[in-house]
Amino acid sequence: MVRTIRLAALALGVAVFAPAAHGQGATVAFGGIKSDTSQPVEVTADQLAVNQTDGTATFTGNVVVIQGDLRLGATTVRVEYAKDDRTKVERIVASGGVTLASAAEAAEAKDAVYTVANGQVVMTGDVLLTQNGGTIAGQKLSVDLKTGTGQMDGRVRTVISPKGSQ
């Protein structure tokens, strides 16, 4: 049975006492991981390889992708451009110790795919989300950057402390 746990209180900074959550999915509010997906995407890395044939650019080594207040770091990032407009980024595929961070929240995973047009980020592989002093772990995290909402799947686990306790 899939148990869904709503953690919107965390995004509002209100800690709620609950036992560790064991289930297949958890809906999560992402007040801090919300971004204006129309802003330019800046990428820095140690190396860049461009493939004109398939419309990709592969960045390797200490890769950092910045869009507004959102930062994504990884070992390798492949930027896929639109076939009809090679100046328009369609997807960003990151692998190797991926970190997605804003001022208030951070998520870590093995891999991530960011579809720029719809503002969707899907992180997979040993995902760990840290927000408002709490953590949520699972195998897949899907985030809608436009709305600031998300879904954690794959044997979700979290520990939430009551407000004021340590």
Side-chain angles (χ1 to χ4, degrees):
M1 179 174 151
V2 175
R3 291 185 353 181
T4 301
I5 300 171
R6 299 211 176 266
L7 297 175
L10 281 175
L12 297 174
V14 178
V16 177
F17 175 76
H22 300 283
Q24 294 300 314
T27 301
V28 186
F30 294 91
I33 299 184
K34 188 173 180 181
S35 181
D36 178 359
T37 58
S38 67
Q39 292 186 338
V41 176
E42 176 187 331
V43 183
T44 58
D46 294 336
Q47 294 180 339
L48 167 63
V50 177
N51 185 331
Q52 295 292 345
T53 305
D54 68 2
T56 62
T58 302
F59 296 86
T60 55
N62 302 308
V63 185
V64 177
V65 180
I66 300 172
Q67 186 178 38
D69 294 332
L70 196 63
R71 295 177 58 91
L72 184 141
T75 303
T76 303
V77 171
R78 186 178 72 245
V79 177
E80 299 173 357
Y81 294 92
K83 293 186 187 335
D84 59 341
D85 181 359
R86 297 296 174 142
T87 64
K88 182 179 176 186
V89 175
E90 282 191 346
R91 290 184 348 146
I92 296 173
V93 180
S95 60
V98 178
T99 302
L100 177 68
S102 68
E105 299 166 335
E108 298 175 2
K110 290 181 180 176
D111 302 297
V113 176
Y114 173 24
T115 306
V116 177
N118 64 8
Q120 299 291 312
V121 176
V122 177
M123 300 181 78
T124 55
D126 300 326
V127 181
L128 179 65
L129 170 69
T130 304
Q131 66 178 175
N132 298 319
T135 59
I136 303 170
Q139 288 304 306
K140 179 181 175 186
L141 172 62
S142 302
V143 179
D144 183 331
L145 296 176
K146 291 180 180 181
T147 64
T149 60
Q151 174 81 24
M152 179 78 81
D153 294 298
R155 194 68 183 156
V156 176
R157 178 168 172 78
T158 186
V159 177
I160 304 168
S161 299
K163 187 173 184 172
S165 69
Q166 307 248 325

